Amino acid sequence: MTAWEVTVDLAVVGTGVAGLTAALRAAELGLRVVAVTKTTVEDGNTQWAQGGIAVVLPGDQSSPPGDSVDAHVADTLAAGAGLCDEAAVRTILAAGPAAVSELRTHGAVFDGGWTDVHRTREGGHRAYRVIHAGGDATGAEIERALASSARSQQLALLEGQSVSEVLRDDTGRVAGLALLDELGAGVLRARAVLLATGGLGQLYAASTNADVATGDGLALGLRAGALTADLEFVQFHPTALHLGTGSRGRQPLVTEAIRGEGAVLLDIAGAPVMTGVHPLGGLAPRDVVAAAITRRMAATGTDHVLLDATHFGSVELRRRFPTVHAACASVGIDPACEPIPVAPAAHYQCGGVVTDTSGRTTVPGLYAAGEVARTGLHGANRLASNSLLEGLVMGRRAAEAVAADFTVSRCPGVPQPSRELRPVADRDALQQSMSAHAGIGRDSAGLATASAVAGATTRRRIRTPHDAEDAALTLAAAAVLAAAAARTESRGCHLRTDHVRPAERWRRSIAVVLDDDGIPVPAEPALIGGVA
Ligand code: SIN
C-alpha cells in the first residue's frame, strides 16, 4: 500500500466546476491542496452541461429590464415546489455575479463577450437570464478554463485515483482518503476533504450523465457518517436525444434553451404536448415538462416525443446549438428539416450530502460542494442552469470554510482503511430496476421491487475502481429508494402514482443516514438548513 509522505490541508475529490473552483481558491488562500479524480481532470459531467449559468448580472447593460435577484429567487422557489431553503437560495444566487467574474478571470469566455453577454431562457425561468458559451457548450468552456488555470498554476492533480473511503481518526474527524487504482491501494493524509464528485445518473439505464457519475460522493459521505437529504428528488431532463428503444448509458442532451428560443414539443401524432399543462407552457419547470412528456408517451404508446426546432434553419442551428446539431447529425437527423426525437432521461441529483451555505457537512473536516451536496438551493426540483452557478459559488465558499476552520497544530496520523467487505448488487439489474420503478412515476410496490434488487447483494472486498463504483451505486440506490418510499406524496421530481398529490405534512426534507448495519434509513432531524 502507498502512503503518500505529504499531508495535505485539503483533498478535493472531483475536478468538475465545484472541485476545480475550490482547489484553485484553496491554493490562492495558501492551503496545500490536491485535487483527486478517478479518471482525467476534464472527464466529468461539467463538460456536458449545455444551457448555461443562470445569473442576474447587475450593472450589465444587457440585463433584461425588470430582472432581479429577487425574481431569480422567486423562480427558484417556485421550481423547488416548497422544499427550497429560502435563505440558502438568496445567498447563493446573490453571490452569482462575483462567481461569474471570478470564472472570467480564469479565462472563460461567454457568448457576447463582457459588454453584451447573450442570455437565453430555460424551463421555470420567467426572464432571459441564462448566459452561455460556445452556443450550447457552456460546461465545456468552464471546464477548459478552470482546468487550464489549474495546470498553469501547477495545482497538484492526482488523476486515475478512485477514492474508496473517507478516513477518520478516532475522534471521528476527517484524516484522509483511501485511494485505489488498477495497481493497488494507497492512503492520502488530509486535514480536510471536500466531496465534489457530481451526481448519480449512472444509477439509471439511460442518463444524460457521464459514465463517471456513479454516486461516489454520496456513498463516501454516507459511510463517513454524514447526514444526507432530499435524495428522492432525482431530476429527469425532459429532452435527451432518443437513440432508439432500450438505449442505455449516456444519452446526448438537447438543451432546454432550444425551447427557450422557440422549439416546440409535439407528440408522435404532431399534437402539442404542453398546451394547457402549465401557464409557462413548454417552459414550465423541468419536472412538469418531463411528467407531461411521460404521460403523453404512455397515452400514445411510444417511448419518445418530438421537438420541432426547424424554425431556426440550418445556419442558425449550427451557430447557436452546435453540440445539439452535431449529436443529431451523428445519428442521421437533420434538425433543421425534421423534428428531433426526444425522451426524458435521468439528469440531476437535487439532494445529497447536507451542507450549510459554506459547504460544511455534519462530519468535522468533511465538506461538500456541487451536485453531490444538498445546500437547500434546489428543493424538490432544481431550476434549470442553477447548478453551474451553485458549483462556482459553493466551491469557492467551501475552500474558504476549510481555510477558516484550519488549525495548523493538528497533523493526522496515517489512518488505516477499513477492510470490511461491502455489499455490491449487479449493476445492470440495478440500473434496469431503478429506471423501471424509481423514475418518473413510482409506487410502493415498484419501489419495493427495486429495493429488493438493490438488496440482492454479495459482500465483496473492494479491490478495483470498478468495484468501488459498484458499491457506491448499490448504496446510492438503497438511499434513494429509502427516501422515495418514505415520501408518500408527489412533489417536484418525486412523482408517485399511488400518492398523486402533494401533502402539507410532507413539506419538509427527509434526511437519510446509515444505521449500525450500514443500511440507509430515513432519520428525523429537527432541522436541515432551515427546512424542518
Ligand atoms: C440544459 O441545457 O437543458 C441543461 C441545463 C441544466 O441542466 O441546468
Side-chain angles (χ1 to χ4, degrees):
M1 174 184 305
T2 315
W4 276 274
E5 285 307 314
V6 60
T7 298
V8 297
D9 301 324
L10 173 63
V12 176
V13 190
T15 52
V17 57
L20 286 180
T21 301
L24 286 161
R25 180 66 180 143
E28 195 176 83
L29 292 169
L31 298 180
R32 276 192 302 180
V33 56
V34 59
V36 183
T37 168
K38 63 182 177 180
T39 54
T40 57
V41 168
E42 285 88 351
D43 188 31
N45 245 350
T46 295
Q47 59 166 325
W48 300 109
Q50 293 189 358
I53 304 178
V55 64
V56 179
L57 298 174
D60 189 315
Q61 299 310 312
S62 63
S63 265
D67 198 16
S68 64
V69 172
D70 280 349
H72 189 181
V73 168
D75 288 348
T76 301
L77 297 177
L83 282 202
C84 297
D85 173 348
E86 185 168 345
V89 173
R90 264 182 204 290
T91 168
I92 293 169
L93 298 186
V100 169
S101 296
E102 176 69 23
L103 182 58
R104 283 170 150 162
T105 68
H106 290 296
V109 178
F110 292 96
D111 295 335
W114 278 89
T115 49
D116 187 25
V117 66
H118 297 172
R119 291 182 173 78
T120 189
R121 207 176 140 200
E122 291 184 55
H125 289 276
R126 285 164 207 267
Y128 285 78
R129 63 168 76 98
V130 177
I131 65 171
H132 47 85
D136 57 2
T138 314
E141 172 61 4
I142 292 173
E143 189 67 38
R144 182 204 62 74
L146 292 174
S148 117
S149 251
R151 291 209 163 91
S152 68
Q153 293 178 30
Q154 297 184 331
L155 199 81
L157 300 168
L158 210 48
E159 298 184 288
Q161 293 289 330
S162 150
V163 176
S164 58
E165 190 180 348
V166 173
L167 302 172
R168 288 175 299 147
D169 64 19
D170 40 20
T171 69
R173 209 195 142 78
V174 163
L177 294 173
L179 301 175
L180 207 55
D181 64 16
E182 296 299 345
L183 300 176
V187 165
L188 175 67
R189 281 179 289 171
R191 292 186 172 87
V193 165
L194 170 68
L195 300 175
T197 49
L200 43 63
Q202 293 302 321
L203 213 46
Y204 291 82
S207 148
T208 62
N209 289 188
D211 290 349
V212 295
T214 49
D216 304 353
L218 178 61
L220 290 169
L222 278 166
R223 286 195 211 104
L227 189 70
T228 67
D230 296 341
L231 301 181
E232 62 276 37
F233 302 112
V234 178
Q235 184 175 71
F236 277 60
H237 195 286
T239 58
L241 180 61
H242 178 65
L243 298 176
T245 302
S247 174
R248 302 285 304 265
R250 195 183 77 78
Q251 315 289 301
L253 193 63
V254 179
T255 176
E256 284 200 334
I258 239 176
R259 272 179 283 132
E261 297 176 30
V264 179
L265 281 167
L266 304 171
D267 68 17
I268 205 75
V273 173
M274 292 307 296
T275 305
V277 174
H278 189 277
L280 290 176
L283 284 181
R286 209 167 262 182
D287 55 335
V288 175
V289 181
I293 291 174
T294 304
R295 282 194 300 271
R296 190 62 68 93
M297 292 191 309
T300 52
T302 59
D303 57 4
H304 64 281
V305 293
L306 303 169
L307 182 66
D308 186 348
T310 52
H311 70 288
F312 283 105
S314 183
V315 173
E316 184 58 6
L317 260 174
R318 282 170 201 265
R319 185 198 66 79
R320 177 65 187 89
F321 298 106
T323 314
V324 171
H325 190 277
C328 289
S330 74
V331 291
I333 293 160
D334 180 354
C337 303
E338 59 192 311
I340 308 169
V342 291
H347 183 61
Y348 195 86
Q349 166 194 335
C350 298
V353 179
V354 172
T355 72
D356 64 12
T357 51
S358 297
R360 294 182 182 91
T361 73
T362 51
V363 176
L366 184 65
Y367 303 76
E371 186 171 353
V372 67
R374 182 271 185 206
T375 57
L377 174 64
H378 308 310
N381 171 57
R382 176 180 63 102
L383 182 66
S385 284
N386 267 358
S387 44
L388 289 174
L389 187 77
E390 186 187 40
L392 291 167
V393 171
M394 293 306 299
R396 185 178 172 88
R397 286 190 181 176
E400 290 170 354
V402 172
D405 298 347
F406 187 67
T407 44
V408 182
S409 54
R410 279 200 72 263
C411 189
V414 184
Q416 289 308 303
S418 70
R419 301 207 164 271
E420 67 185 17
L421 305 180
R422 296 231 170 103
V424 175
D426 177 75
R427 189 188 286 214
D428 184 62
L430 202 59
Q431 291 172 331
Q432 301 275 18
S433 78
M434 289 298 287
S435 284
H437 303 298
I440 303 173
R442 308 160 164 185
D443 63 22
S444 73
L447 292 169
T449 302
S451 295
V453 173
T457 59
T458 51
R459 296 188 77 80
R460 277 203 232 146
R461 191 161 314 286
I462 303 303
R463 294 182 202 280
T464 67
H466 197 263
D467 291 343
E469 283 189 348
D470 283 346
L473 283 167
T474 304
L475 183 55
V480 168
L481 292 165
R487 185 172 289 282
T488 48
E489 64 156 1
S490 288
R491 183 183 295 277
C493 310
H494 175 69
L495 195 63
R496 285 198 51 158
T497 52
D498 53 353
H499 297 277
V500 292
R501 270 179 279 284
E504 189 51 30
R505 74 194 167 90
W506 279 119
R507 210 162 68 78
R508 63 187 180 89
S509 285
I510 295 176
V512 171
V513 292
L514 292 194
D515 70 10
D516 292 343
D517 297 320
I519 309 286
V521 288
E524 280 295 337
L527 200 68
I528 304 169
V531 180

